[in-house]
Amino acid sequence: MGRFIFPTAVTILLFVVSFFSIIIPSIEKNSMDRKREMIRELTNSAWNILAKLENDERKGLLTREQAQRQAIEQIGSLHYGQEMKDYFWINDMHPRMIIHPYRTDLNGKDLTNYKDPDGKQVFVEFVKLVKKDGAGYMTYRWQWKDNEERILPKISYVKGFTPWGWIIGTGIYIDDVKAEIGSIIRNLIEISLFILLVITLMLSIIIKQSYAALRHQQAMEKALRESEIKYRTLVESAAEGMLMAIEGKFRYANQTIADYLEYTQDEFSLMRVTDIFPDEQNNQSHQYAEELAAGKSVPERFETRLKTKSGTLRDVILAATPISIGEENGFMAVVTDITKRKQTEDALGESEEKFRTIANNLNVGVFRRTIGNNSQFIEINAAFVKLFGYEDREEILAITIADLLVNTSDKKIFRSKASADNLKPIILKMKKKDGSIFTASVWEAVVRDEEGKREYFDGIIEDITEAVEKEKGHEKLLAEMQTALMFFNRQLGNLSTGRVVVCAPEATVKEAVQLMESEHTDILLVKNDRKQNLGVITDHDLRKALMNTGLNEQAAVASIMSSPIHSLPVQSTIFESWLTMQQNKISHLFISDSEGVICGVIHSEDVVPLRTYSPAILLWEIQNSKSPEEIINRNTILPYLIVSLIDSGAKPQYINHLTTVIVDAILQKFIEFAIKESGEPPAKFCFLVFGSEGRREQTLRTDQDNAIIYDDVSPDQEKAVHEYFLALGKRVCYWLNEAGYAYCEGDNMAQNPQWCRSLSQWKKYFHQWVFKAEAEDLLRTKIFFDFRCGYGEGNFTRQLREYLDEIVADNNRFFQLLARNVLPLSPPIGFFGNFVIESVGEDKKAFDIKSSMMPIVDYARIYALKNKIWATNTLERLNALLDRNILKHQNHQEIVQAYNYLMQIRLRVQAEEISHGRKNPDNYVNPKNLSFIEQKLLKEIFAQTKNFQARLSYDFTGQLGGV
């Protein structure tokens, strides 16, 4: 037992020594270093506030007096720490106190002669330190926070702000740090004592178990002696037969073998070994039996047959061991009955024949071939013979594999691939008997013998000519799309645009028609005498007014003109113009110059080439499809189309818009098909879309977020109406899933009875989420409050939006809880500026860029809700916040650039996965796959995102940092 006690005691001693000589000093040093680093970072953060205000001063946004006054107010209100009593102060280089939250008696006073209890001229030393190094640490004595009677040692970090001649700083009290360290050390000591106690208990248990093991060993020795007595009994009752023979005669046979061969043990003692083996001269096992009886060497185990007393033959395995007793030789043998195994093998033989029959009836070729350069087929099925156009299998068995291959290079590939053990397909060009060539996919697996040597290859072969031709057609389509993209990305300035013809609003319809005729145009721009653009008049407007109102030719054009006016800058692309026309269902689009003045007009006919390529074709095919299955098949091209657009450099917002236009068209057609199958709706309804689709921000990986609102009906109609729309929702959601828009994992879909409800019930949902505002409610607001009408009664969404504005108005509690709910979702950047990554799959380290974008999406959503902005798109919300002066121009520019760059990275990563054959790309980005500049930009964006979150926290929770 001493071998257990001594190592344990040494381990405990080493633990105690290392604890007090290494661990505790290390904890003390690391804690102090961490606190020093903390006050340095806090001072730098507060210094940035001064820098920002001084920058506003240089830009002329603020006077120096205004900037410094705001700085004093903001720094004076900054507090941190557990009791929010830690603070910042500012003095100048005189030194004179600018602001001190607790020593207001010093504000504005000369600090040259101010000394701490130890006689140190604290503020003079601060000035010297800043003049020498610009920033640094200093130790002195000062009152404890707001307690003037308690003076403690303190270490502070100060930093000079040169433009204003200020010094800003904050600090920590050394006694507080020591108290914190002391608390940690006490906890560690308590834990260590507990560990020592556990070790002592474990040592006691080990000693006790060792003693028990010794007693057990003694008992086992006694049992072994008793087992020797029982050995013969055990042999006698063994389930397997046992024999012993000397000089060809049996000396012993247990009861099992005696019963098995129908003899008594006394009869065995009179028999020779050869008496139990049948007379089978040509049988190898019989020869082994004779050699065994003669004392010769035989295999340790071999199969044979034994003959019973009645003459019945039994299949057995004989495991024999030679023995010698004195000068006499013999053997001992264990006999195992394998009669049932033999029966099973016979059945397997029959099964093999059945499998061979199945192989012969498969539609793919199955073969077995020999090893070597001149390999030949050993076995082939009927499909193999048919595939190569031969009349019978003997013709193919007579030729080599090389005779079936077309290209010399394929022969080399075939030999090199065939020598490997991995099961991978080989694509080869092969020829049939009549000389026709086809593309084949060949799979092979090597078959080895018991010693591991290769015996032959088994494989299958399939004609994939049709699949290859389809792939070539797909590649041709992609090539055509790339050609189209060259046209897509041309700027509108490169087009020959039409001349803008202007008409006054008071001009008559007759005068407008005459102007159109004389100027050879089908569109007029309506401007007043102040050069303001009021609207447009087109041939379509004239025909519509004539049909609907019986147009009076003396009526003013202002009464029939269309507005608003749609225009794009001259540097916009043709693709953007096509998308704008599709979204707004217009046939003309004005072009504006760098000053915003309309300088040209294009007609939908000017972008005719777009109609011959995939975006327009796909949209047209969806809108004119005859069945859901037709849409599902057509939409498989969308991911490849988006990949081509991304590769061509299309802007992320236009890619998002295109995917939204496509899915909106698909949704509308699916609902039309569903109504056609289900019958006319029993009430007015609106098919809502939420989430990324609701925000028009869909990417290559998206799922469904939708619901149904139907009109309020009488209680006796409610059940039937609900069942109708629920069935419609299930049918539409199923088709969307088949078309590539996966089911929502959270089941936030119209097929869920909870989200297929009347307008009044939806208002109750909104009321509960806003006023109850528990964790699940707040999560739902992040999804459901980004809603828009995908089909049907748009007035329902307007009523919901008005109701939402009403219940959130002045509801500070809701916005505070909503902010606290979204603030923990921070960008993946660590304290030291490194990416925070997670394990994805077996060998991938990455961060989720979708989650990284959510702080910006949440930021825009909360401010939009607060300010009654109805837009759901993130960029549109940010633009509205800028227009209302809620978001400053610089902040707007920063957050929009950050959002667009993150979306660009997200789309590019998904496009790369699609290009590599992955049908369902994810949102994970491996930083190692990004360039240094991309990594740098992402880190700066993530750091800036934290600043946006800080403002969100301050505006809605009253705290400067996160919650």
Side-chain angles (χ1 to χ4, degrees):
M1 289 186 288
R3 69 178 185 271
F4 297 108
I5 298 174
F6 178 76
T8 305
V10 172
T11 300
I12 293 172
L13 179 61
L14 290 174
F15 176 82
V16 172
V17 171
S18 63
F19 182 83
F20 286 98
S21 62
I22 299 175
I23 297 176
I24 290 179
S26 177
I27 290 173
E28 293 175 347
K29 182 179 181 305
N30 290 339
S31 297
M32 184 57 73
D33 289 345
R34 180 169 52 83
K35 292 293 185 180
R36 286 166 62 92
E37 178 66 15
M38 178 192 74
I39 62 175
R40 185 178 71 83
E41 291 296 328
L42 289 172
T43 301
N44 287 335
S45 298
W47 187 92
N48 287 334
I49 295 176
L50 304 184
K52 198 274 181 186
L53 292 171
E54 193 272 336
N55 184 53
D56 290 346
E57 174 198 339
R58 286 190 284 104
K59 290 181 177 179
L61 301 177
L62 299 171
T63 65
R64 173 161 293 193
E65 181 182 358
Q66 291 173 331
Q68 290 182 344
R69 184 168 62 254
Q70 288 190 26
I72 291 171
E73 290 174 357
Q74 293 187 36
I75 298 301
S77 63
L78 288 179
H79 293 276
Y80 62 93
Q82 293 183 349
E83 298 179 358
M84 300 299 288
K85 289 186 177 182
D86 292 303
Y87 60 91
F88 299 83
W89 80 89
I90 302 173
N91 59 270
D92 62 19
M93 301 295 287
H94 178 71
R96 183 178 289 104
M97 184 65 73
I98 303 299
I99 175 63
H100 195 291
Y102 297 136
R103 292 297 304 272
T104 56
D105 58 306
L106 297 179
N107 290 347
K109 292 185 178 181
D110 188 341
L111 304 174
T112 304
N113 297 320
Y114 184 89
K115 298 179 181 179
D116 72 354
D118 294 335
K120 179 180 285 188
Q121 291 179 292
V122 178
F123 296 94
V124 172
E125 294 298 324
F126 285 158
V127 172
K128 291 179 180 180
L129 178 61
V130 170
K131 286 182 177 180
K132 180 182 178 183
D133 300 321
Y137 298 92
M138 194 176 81
T139 304
Y140 56 98
R141 294 172 64 83
W142 190 262
Q143 73 175 47
W144 188 82
K145 300 180 180 177
D146 58 346
N147 188 345
E148 297 180 2
E149 298 178 357
R150 188 178 177 189
I151 308 300
L152 297 174
K154 185 175 184 179
I155 182 170
S156 294
Y157 182 87
V158 294
K159 184 174 182 178
F161 186 69
T162 304
W164 292 347
W166 283 8
I167 298 174
I168 186 169
T170 189
I172 55 173
Y173 294 91
I174 297 175
D175 286 4
D176 289 350
V177 179
K178 289 181 178 179
E180 182 180 337
I181 295 172
S183 175
I184 295 173
I185 292 173
R186 283 194 299 275
N187 291 337
L188 286 175
I189 291 174
E190 291 175 359
I191 294 171
S192 301
L193 290 174
F194 175 77
I195 292 172
L196 289 174
L197 178 60
V198 171
I199 292 173
T200 303
L201 291 174
M202 292 177 64
L203 181 60
S204 300
I205 293 171
I206 291 172
I207 294 172
K208 182 178 179 181
Q209 290 179 342
S210 298
Y211 179 74
L214 180 61
R215 294 291 302 273
H216 180 70
Q217 181 180 352
Q218 293 173 347
M220 289 296 294
E221 290 175 352
K222 181 179 178 181
L224 184 59
R225 289 192 295 270
E226 293 176 352
S227 68
E228 291 175 354
I229 300 173
K230 299 176 181 178
Y231 175 73
R232 183 175 294 275
T233 303
L234 290 174
V235 171
E236 290 293 333
S237 60
E240 293 183 319
M242 297 184 181
L243 296 167
M244 184 174 68
I246 301 294
E247 296 296 333
K249 296 183 65 175
F250 290 113
R251 293 285 184 91
Y252 174 76
N254 70 347
Q255 190 61 47
T256 302
I257 191 63
D259 293 340
Y260 182 70
L261 296 179
E262 303 172 358
Y263 292 100
T264 64
Q265 288 180 304
D266 292 337
E267 288 177 325
F268 257 108
S269 63
L270 302 175
M271 295 169 57
R272 297 190 63 81
V273 172
T274 53
D275 293 340
I276 65 171
F277 288 95
D279 187 12
E280 298 175 343
Q281 299 297 330
N282 296 324
N283 190 294
Q284 181 69 51
S285 61
H286 183 74
Q287 181 180 349
Y288 287 155
E290 290 182 341
E291 293 175 352
L292 185 64
K296 296 181 180 179
S297 177
V298 296
E300 292 183 0
R301 292 170 59 87
F302 60 90
E303 290 186 17
T304 186
R305 288 183 172 186
L306 297 182
K307 182 175 61 177
T308 66
K309 186 177 181 179
S310 62
T312 303
L313 299 180
R314 301 281 181 90
D315 292 304
V316 299
I317 290 179
L318 204 65
T321 304
I323 60 172
S324 297
I325 300 178
E327 296 181 356
E328 296 181 324
N329 298 320
F331 68 89
M332 290 188 65
V334 175
V335 181
T336 303
D337 183 14
I338 59 170
T339 304
K340 291 184 178 179
R341 195 192 79 179
K342 282 291 187 181
Q343 293 172 349
T344 302
E345 289 177 351
D346 293 340
L348 286 175
E350 295 177 1
S351 298
E352 183 179 355
E353 185 61 32
K354 293 178 182 178
F355 284 127
R356 187 182 299 276
T357 302
I358 293 173
N360 286 331
N361 288 278
L362 287 175
N363 290 326
V364 296
V366 180
F367 64 86
R368 171 172 289 179
R369 70 177 183 87
T370 60
I371 304 291
N373 293 334
N374 296 318
S375 178
Q376 288 185 290
F377 295 106
I378 306 171
E379 292 288 343
I380 53 175
N381 67 343
F384 190 99
V385 178
K386 182 179 179 181
L387 177 63
F388 283 92
Y390 285 85
E391 296 179 1
D392 58 62
R393 62 193 300 271
E394 300 302 326
E395 288 185 84
I396 300 181
L397 295 180
I399 63 177
T400 65
I401 292 175
D403 296 328
L404 301 177
L405 298 174
V406 176
N407 302 322
T408 304
S409 58
D410 283 351
K411 298 176 183 179
K412 295 179 180 178
I413 293 173
F414 191 77
R415 287 196 296 268
S416 61
K417 291 287 185 182
S419 62
D421 285 345
N422 53 331
L423 188 63
K424 291 184 178 180
I426 314 169
I427 307 302
L428 303 168
K429 288 291 184 180
M430 306 192 81
K431 57 185 176 183
K432 299 183 179 182
K433 182 180 180 181
D434 61 5
S436 60
I437 298 173
F438 68 98
T439 305
S441 173
V442 181
W443 297 74
E444 284 196 330
V446 67
V447 179
R448 300 179 181 274
D449 60 17
E450 294 179 355
E451 297 179 356
K453 294 180 180 180
R454 293 186 298 158
E455 285 190 311
Y456 42 79
F457 289 103
D458 284 343
I460 58 175
I461 184 169
E462 185 177 9
D463 185 353
I464 60 169
T465 304
E466 184 178 351
V468 170
E469 291 302 320
K470 287 183 178 179
E471 182 64 24
K472 287 181 178 178
H474 176 67
E475 291 176 357
K476 181 181 178 182
L477 176 59
L478 291 178
E480 291 176 353
M481 288 198 317
Q482 290 291 346
T483 303
L485 291 174
M486 295 176 65
F487 180 77
F488 291 173
N489 291 317
R490 288 181 62 193
Q491 292 187 349
L492 296 176
N494 295 327
L495 287 181
S496 177
T497 59
R499 187 167 58 88
V500 179
V501 181
V502 178
C503 174
E506 60 271 11
T508 65
V509 171
K510 181 178 180 180
E511 290 172 340
V513 172
Q514 292 173 343
L515 182 61
M516 284 183 176
E517 184 66 23
S518 63
E519 296 292 338
H520 304 290
T521 183
D522 59 353
I523 183 170
L524 299 177
L525 175 64
V526 181
K527 274 189 175 184
N528 60 18
D529 54 5
R530 294 190 301 275
K531 304 298 182 181
Q532 293 176 321
N533 300 322
L534 302 180
V536 296
I537 299 291
T538 66
D539 285 345
H540 176 74
D541 294 320
L542 293 171
R543 291 194 301 271
K544 182 178 178 182
L546 179 63
M547 293 177 62
N548 295 341
T549 62
L551 182 63
N552 183 350
E553 65 179 13
Q554 296 302 318
V557 294
S559 63
I560 65 168
M561 68 181 181
S562 300
S563 62
I565 296 172
H566 296 281
S567 65
L568 283 178
V570 70
Q571 64 269 24
S572 301
T573 65
I574 294 175
F575 173 70
E576 293 171 20
S577 70
W578 174 80
L579 195 57
T580 302
M581 290 183 186
Q582 290 293 323
Q583 289 175 326
N584 296 285
K585 295 181 173 61
I586 57 177
S587 59
H588 297 77
L589 184 68
F590 287 106
I591 310 302
S592 59
D593 60 20
S594 58
E595 302 297 327
V597 178
I598 292 177
C599 60
V601 62
I602 62 172
H603 191 277
S604 58
E605 296 298 324
D606 296 326
V607 291
V608 166
L610 280 170
R611 300 179 183 177
T612 64
Y613 294 106
S614 293
I617 287 178
L618 179 58
L619 191 59
W620 185 89
E621 288 179 339
I622 290 171
Q623 292 171 340
N624 292 275
S625 58
K626 304 301 182 184
S627 68
E629 292 72 25
E630 191 174 335
I631 293 176
I632 292 167
N633 292 332
R634 294 283 188 270
N635 201 45
T636 56
I637 192 63
L638 180 61
Y640 302 99
L641 168 63
I642 300 302
V643 168
S644 297
L645 291 172
I646 293 170
D647 291 342
S648 70
K651 294 179 181 179
Q653 59 265 40
Y654 287 104
I655 293 174
N656 293 147
H657 287 169
L658 176 61
T659 56
T660 302
V661 167
I662 297 296
V663 73
D664 282 354
I666 290 173
L667 176 63
Q668 291 167 11
K669 290 298 294 186
F670 281 163
I671 295 174
E672 291 174 5
F673 290 136
I675 292 175
K676 187 176 181 180
E677 292 185 11
S678 304
E680 286 300 314
K684 293 180 179 179
F685 78 100
C686 172
F687 201 98
L688 289 181
V689 291
F690 306 106
S692 61
E693 185 180 356
R695 295 192 303 272
R696 296 185 175 92
E697 295 168 2
Q698 290 188 304
T699 63
L700 288 169
R701 177 182 175 87
T702 186
D703 57 4
Q704 299 181 44
D705 287 299
N706 48 51
I708 289 177
I709 305 178
Y710 52 83
D711 204 359
D712 292 309
V713 296
S714 60
D716 59 319
Q717 293 178 305
E718 171 63 28
K719 182 178 179 182
V721 171
H722 181 258
E723 288 177 352
Y724 171 90
F725 286 114
L726 184 61
L728 183 141
K730 289 180 178 179
R731 186 173 284 111
V732 172
C733 290
Y734 170 77
W735 287 334
L736 286 171
N737 181 68
E738 292 296 302
Y741 305 99
Y743 285 131
C744 172
E745 293 182 1
D747 202 19
N748 296 320
M749 294 177 289
Q751 68 177 13
N752 184 341
Q754 185 178 9
W755 310 130
C756 179
R757 291 294 178 184
S758 65
L759 178 60
S760 59
Q761 179 60 50
W762 273 99
K763 290 182 178 180
K764 290 179 182 178
Y765 285 154
F766 278 25
H767 187 277
Q768 173 189 327
W769 298 339
V770 170
F771 288 98
K772 191 175 180 182
E774 295 182 350
E776 186 175 355
D777 300 321
L778 294 171
L779 178 62
R780 283 173 175 165
T781 64
K782 294 175 64 176
I783 301 172
F784 289 92
F785 283 5
D786 292 341
F787 65 89
R788 64 181 178 87
C789 178
Y791 181 93
E793 192 67 27
N795 184 47
F796 288 170
T797 58
R798 182 184 61 79
Q799 293 184 54
L800 264 186
R801 189 66 67 181
E802 290 175 346
Y803 181 71
L804 180 59
D805 286 346
E806 177 186 338
I807 60 179
V808 301
D810 301 321
N811 192 337
N812 293 330
R813 174 182 175 273
F814 167 72
F815 284 107
Q816 184 183 64
L817 292 175
L818 186 58
R820 290 181 180 274
N821 183 263
V822 303
L823 284 171
L825 188 62
S826 59
I829 197 75
F831 184 78
F832 296 105
N834 296 322
F835 289 110
V836 178
I837 57 177
E838 56 183 299
S839 296
V840 182
E842 296 181 356
D843 56 354
K844 186 177 180 181
K845 299 286 187 178
F847 63 86
D848 187 345
I849 196 166
K850 178 182 178 182
S851 298
S852 305
M853 298 175 66
M854 291 314 297
I856 298 178
V857 175
D858 293 335
Y859 179 95
R861 180 190 303 109
I862 292 179
Y863 281 100
L865 284 174
K866 180 68 174 178
N867 294 279
K868 298 182 180 180
I869 295 171
W870 286 17
T872 57
N873 179 263
T874 299
L875 293 178
E876 291 177 2
R877 284 170 167 170
L878 294 173
N879 292 337
L881 293 172
L882 175 66
D883 293 340
R884 299 191 186 186
N885 205 31
I886 298 164
L887 198 59
K888 300 299 181 184
H889 178 75
Q890 182 177 353
N891 291 337
H892 170 267
Q893 189 176 20
E894 290 173 350
I895 196 169
V896 167
Q897 288 177 348
Y899 178 83
N900 283 334
Y901 187 73
L902 292 174
M903 181 62 78
Q904 180 182 349
I905 294 291
R906 182 180 176 190
L907 289 170
R908 193 191 75 193
V909 169
Q910 292 183 352
E912 289 173 353
E913 293 197 356
I914 290 287
S915 299
H916 287 91
R918 185 171 180 179
K919 293 183 178 180
N920 297 309
D922 56 34
N923 291 295
Y924 288 99
V925 176
N926 186 346
K928 293 182 179 179
N929 295 335
L930 303 175
S931 68
F932 173 79
I933 295 177
E934 289 173 331
Q935 293 184 30
K936 183 71 174 176
L937 284 173
L938 279 179
K939 289 179 180 179
E940 291 180 359
I941 287 172
F942 292 153
Q944 191 66 26
T945 301
K946 291 186 176 181
N947 293 337
F948 300 141
Q949 289 183 303
R951 177 186 171 178
L952 185 69
S953 176
Y954 183 80
D955 286 350
F956 292 101
T957 70
Q959 297 183 16
L960 183 60
V963 296

